[in-house]
């Protein structure tokens, strides 16, 4: 018998023309296991519970987040819950060594199926709702990768196929093989390259967008300080936007956004998230809250309705292209088909 409590219903959005309908704000779980420094496992599980109880229906993870830890964490958080109340999105393909170093990507058909088998076991589920390669594998045609996932859809192990950080041409090629539910890609006030070609192509093809990094890894949260010390396992210590003069410049943009938020009786984070929400009904922001108070703040963005005057004020505070520094270090940027 399920012990699922009564759930709130948040506004809903469809992931493209073929994907599932999910909550208009969803939860990215990466930081609960990896890349943002130490996390409190009990608080992480409590945050997932709070998200589900608030009506969040999409949880996003990757099999390489903590080398499987994140999937195991989600399994633990879903104990006693009705599996059909939750959509789980899993990225695969990133290769890592025991010490956490990045070794490249593997999206060959055999690797696709092996990765899925392990993900199913860690999550203790019989299906993944959306399965997607984390990056384009330059050694494997996207048609082969998508074709392998399509076989898993046919077999009932996967319900929808997604993509992550790919460009417009790759989107077209993938969609010619099998319907694509959504493209997961960074999209925020200071990461807007998707608007030029990728977003119009996704819309033409009926592909939704799950937008991650909507707070730019915490930079747009309103809580970041110039002198914040980062642990050695926090990748922001090597991210160009968080370095030296770049950080000083970017925090000035945050201060300008703070003034806009104050006039609207909202927090900086809520204004930044609400801006992404306003970009279209086909966009579902993923927030990376690791604690319940940050989740509650993020959910408050759904109560913020931005007028044309508000949008103009936000644009004036943080114009397109105004951020200093790339969103990843050079080596990681080279892996992004979306930036070519």
């Amino acid at each position: 018998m399920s012990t699922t409590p009564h759930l709130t219903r948040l506004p809903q959005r469809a992931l493209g023309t073929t994907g599932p309908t999910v909550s208009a704000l969803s939860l990215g779980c990466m930081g609960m296991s990896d890349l943002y420094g130490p996390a409190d496992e009990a608080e992480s599980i409590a945050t997932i519970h709070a998200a589900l109880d608030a009506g969040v229906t999409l949880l996003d993870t990757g099999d390489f987040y903590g080398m499987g830890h994140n999937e195991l964490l989600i399994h633990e958080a879903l104990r006693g819950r009705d599996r059909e109340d939750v959509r789980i999105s899993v990225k695969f393909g990133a290769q890592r060594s025991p010490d956490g170093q990045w070794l490249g990507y593997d999206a060959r058909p055999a690797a696709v199926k092996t990765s899925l088998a392990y993900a199913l076991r860690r999550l203790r589920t019989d299906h993944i709702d959306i399965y997607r390669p984390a990056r384009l594998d330059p050694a494997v045609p996207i048609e082969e990768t998508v074709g392998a996932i399509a076989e898993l859809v046919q077999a009932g192990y996967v319900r929808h196929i997604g993509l992550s950080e790919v460009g417009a041409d790759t989107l077209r090629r993938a969609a010619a093989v099998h319907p694509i539910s959504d493209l997961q890609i960074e999209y925020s006030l200071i990461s807007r390259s998707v608007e030029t070609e990728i977003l119009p192509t996704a819309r033409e093809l009926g592909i939704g967008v799950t937008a991650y990094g909507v707070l730019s890894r915490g930079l747009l949260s309103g809580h970041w300080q110039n002198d914040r010390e980062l642990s050695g396992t926090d990748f922001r210590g090597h991210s160009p936007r968080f370095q030296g003069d770049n950080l000083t410049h970017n925090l000035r943009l945050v201060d300008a956004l703070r003034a806009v938020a104050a006039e609207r009786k909202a927090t900086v984070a809520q204004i930044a998230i609400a801006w992404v929400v306003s970009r279209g009904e086909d966009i579902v922001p993923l927030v990376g809250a690791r604690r319940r108070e940050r989740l509650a703040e993020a959910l408050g963005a759904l109560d913020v309705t931005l007028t044309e005057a508000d949008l103009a004020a936000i644009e004036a505070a943080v114009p397109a292209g105004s951020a200093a520094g790339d969103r990843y270090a050079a080596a990681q940027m080279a892996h992004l088909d979306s930036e070519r």
Side-chain angles (χ1 to χ4, degrees), residues 297-321:
E297 181 184 18
L299 289 170
L302 294 176
D303 296 325
V304 177
T305 300
L306 299 176
T307 65
E308 289 300 319
D310 293 335
L311 292 171
I314 292 168
E315 186 73 26
V318 188

Side-chain angles (χ1 to χ4, degrees), residues 42-66:
E43 180 61 23
S44 295
I45 291 173
T47 300
I48 294 174
H49 287 167
L52 298 175
D53 294 346
V56 170
T57 61
L58 176 64
L59 301 178
D60 180 74
T61 184
D63 61 14
F64 50 93
Y65 293 165

Side-chain angles (χ1 to χ4, degrees), residues 18 40 42 54 64 70 100 112 157 177 215 239 243 257 262 270 293 325 330:
T18 64
D40 182 323
F64 50 93
N70 205 237
V112 171
Y157 296 117
V177 175
L215 294 180
S239 175
Q243 307 303 309
L257 190 62
Q270 288 168 344
E293 66 266 27

